[in-house]
Amino acid sequence: DGGITQSPKYLFRKEGQNVTLSCEQNLNHDAMYWYRQDPGQGLRLIYYSQIVNDFQKGDIAEGYSVSREKKESFPLTVTSAQKNPTAFYLCASSSGQGVIQPQHFGDGTRLSIL
Amino acid sequence: AQSVTQPDIHITVSEGASLELRCNYSYGATPYLFWYVQSPGQGLQLLLKYFSGDTLVQGIKGFEAEFKRSQSSFNLRKPSVHWSDAAEYFCAVGLMDSNYQLIWGAGTKLIIKP
């Protein structure tokens, strides 16, 4: 079955530590996205990538970094510069160009601070 | 600035009753419109979308939505809810002048009374 796999499901971060969230898709989609979800705030875009080796900042990119070395993979690193990282992180992908293509989502990673 | 408003944070409905979830957007032109559903601790699933044409669109799980240009609304409806419909519902808008970004509503949590 095609889909998006996010791992781990739960992740704990210590102060001053960088952590990386994995996102892999086998849908052959060109575009991939990272969102942050906080209660009562909907989804906020962190980064998105239209093609391999290219990505753009979303609305809340500060304290996060990404890479897109392979079409299937779009890992997100939450750096120590992100002072309030506790949230639910969702990865998504879509085919083609533009917002007309619906986004497909993974099951998310919940990040907490130790 | 463009925005999406879901006025109801929570809605409680009896099983078997009808449902309407509201979504209003602020944008000068007709956007692309989406409704997604999120079960607890999971990713989002597309329910339905509107791009153009017939203003009443049918989706999965017996849901439908109606686009009303004069009211800048895209309300989601279901004639008879089931306990399995308990989830959070998100309205999203894709703008024609934005390549990949969706603007998301804050979500409406649907609670089903037995």
Side-chain angles (χ1 to χ4, degrees):
Chain A
D1 265 347
I4 298 178
T5 301
Q6 289 188 242
S7 61
K9 194 168 179 67
Y10 300 95
L11 187 58
F12 298 90
R13 194 191 90 169
K14 296 179 182 178
E15 294 288 341
Q17 186 182 44
N18 293 353
V19 292
T20 297
L21 285 60
S22 171
C23 177
E24 302 278 332
Q25 55 102 355
N26 60 5
L27 299 167
N28 199 33
H29 284 171
D30 288 312
M32 296 187 75
Y33 313 80
W34 274 106
Y35 290 97
R36 171 177 171 142
Q37 186 177 25
D38 296 281
Q41 292 195 40
L43 276 66
R44 291 184 290 168
L45 184 65
I46 304 173
Y47 271 97
Y48 65 99
S49 168
Q50 301 175 26
I51 55 172
V52 174
N53 292 322
D54 186 55
F55 47 84
Q56 286 78 42
K57 294 181 178 180
D59 299 322
I60 57 165
E62 186 174 348
Y64 300 97
S65 65
V66 294
S67 63
R68 186 87 187 274
E69 297 176 2
K70 298 187 299 182
K71 188 175 185 178
E72 310 78 48
S73 178
F74 191 41
L76 173 75
T77 296
V78 183
T79 75
S80 56
Q82 173 49 247
K83 296 306 178 189
N84 183 24
T86 297
F88 191 53
Y89 291 87
L90 287 162
C91 179
S93 70
S94 67
S95 63
Q97 295 274 334
V99 293
I100 196 168
Q101 301 297 336
Q103 295 183 12
H104 298 253
F105 285 81
D107 284 340
T109 293
R110 188 167 298 281
L111 177 61
S112 303
I113 296 298
L114 280 178
Chain B
Q2 298 88 358
S3 64
V4 176
T5 301
Q6 293 181 246
D8 304 303
I9 298 174
H10 306 102
I11 281 191
T12 301
V13 177
S14 297
E15 190 169 14
S18 64
L19 170 70
E20 182 169 32
L21 302 182
R22 296 182 288 164
C23 173
N24 293 93
Y25 64 89
S26 170
Y27 182 51
T30 299
Y32 304 119
L33 297 159
F34 305 85
W35 274 100
Y36 284 84
V37 60
Q38 183 180 34
S39 297
Q42 294 188 10
L44 281 72
Q45 181 183 21
L46 179 69
L47 282 175
L48 46 78
K49 59 185 185 286
Y50 173 79
F51 297 152
S52 64
D54 192 346
T55 57
L56 184 64
V57 294
Q58 302 297 321
I60 62 171
K61 305 186 181 190
F63 285 91
E64 67 178 25
E66 185 172 13
F67 169 58
K68 293 186 177 179
R69 186 190 311 273
S70 61
Q71 298 177 19
S72 297
S73 70
F74 188 55
N75 293 349
L76 182 71
R77 302 195 294 245
K78 187 170 185 178
S80 176
V81 298
H82 186 262
W83 64 267
S84 60
D85 293 324
E88 191 155 19
Y89 292 80
F90 292 91
C91 180
V93 165
L95 308 180
M96 294 181 184
D97 54 3
S98 168
N99 227 2
Y100 281 84
Q101 295 200 35
L102 294 176
I103 300 175
W104 293 85
T108 297
K109 187 172 183 178
L110 175 63
I111 300 164
I112 307 294
K113 284 193 302 186

